[in-house]
Amino acid sequence: MIFFLVLSVMSEAFDDVRFDENYVVRYGNDHISKLDQGREVQLSLDLASGSGFNSKRGYGSGFFEMRIKLPARHSPGVVTTFYLSSHPDNKPGNHDELDFEFLGTEGPVFSLQTNIFANDNGNREQRLHLWFDPTKDFHKYGILWNHRQIVFFVDNIPIRVFKNNTRLGARYPSQEMSVEGSIWNGESWASSGKKIEWSQAPFQAHYQEFDIYGCPFGANCSSESQLYWWNTKEFYELTPEQQRIYKKVTQKYMFYDYCHDRGRNFKECQIR
Ligand SMILES: *[C@@H]1O[C@H](CO)[C@@H](O)[C@H](O)[C@H]1NC(C)=O
Ligand SMILES: *[C@@H]1O[C@H](CO)[C@@H](O)[C@H](O)[C@H]1NC(C)=O
């Protein structure tokens, strides 16, 4: 595990930002509890309801990260998410979205799915096995989004890179997106599709770190300002060290990649 050297060039988050500063409950108000004076929230899913929250503002770039602890084992069919999404009133087909989707399992193997929508219907799923038990402790899940690349990180380790190849005819998310988290019943969802063991309910996911490093949509967050560090050259591509770890991790843990399956439908799969 030595190669999982921490790469963090990113600022460590302030951990005293409260949920209410940047976020509001989206649904399932009575299934969300604030803990530690609002520095942690617990989302619950039971037969009556799931729950979700979203950021107050919309963003056009940034580094979005949370610490999340997933519901305890025996959670097949339960889906826990952390994602960016363009406005819910977008019609299907012109939606932007960047997703972490944790697929509940029986354990001991845990699967993480990521997906990307770029003014379309997504279908850019990748899945990998996590190298730790995400139900035991909090781990960091982050999304970097600037005009050059989108990178998904797990504990600072890049697990997915999506480059802006619009010049070569590929799509790239560009719409205003808010930051969201949720827990829901995925029994009838294709990526999960398992029966939930309701005797194990309520299923509870915990989220921490409610600060947001984001550029409000439409604002000038020029890369000339260190204030907007995620837009600076340093973040235009992975460092050689990150490249090396990214390659190792995906070789070892990725078990599904849409490019190997439906690559002919996606320009970016033909470019790389
Ligand atoms: C993607 O890159 C092109 C230049 O190749 C740029 O014009 C465009 O703004 C970028 N898209 C986003 C969303 O940053
Ligand atoms: C954005 O801000 C930078 C630095 O402050 C400035 O140089 C640039 O001209 C601005 N761009 C626009 C479009 O206002």
Side-chain angles (χ1 to χ4, degrees), residues 22-35:
N22 288 323
Y23 291 94
V24 290
V25 172
R26 192 153 68 88
Y27 68 98
N29 209 351
D30 56 352
H31 282 62
I32 299 191
S33 318
K34 291 170 195 160
L35 311 170

Side-chain angles (χ1 to χ4, degrees), residues 258-267 269-270:
Y258 73 109
C259 276
H260 296 156
D261 195 7
R262 288 174 272 108
R264 67 183 178 286
N265 301 333
F266 295 93
K267 192 78 187 174
C269 298
Q270 293 145 31

Side-chain angles (χ1 to χ4, degrees), residues 145-148 164 166-167 172-174:
W145 174 33
N146 61 36
H147 69 284
R148 300 295 282 265
N164 179 348
T166 50
R167 240 185 318 211
Y172 194 72
S174 64

Side-chain angles (χ1 to χ4, degrees), residues 219-225:
N220 177 5
C221 298
S222 160
S223 60
E224 279 141 59
S225 165

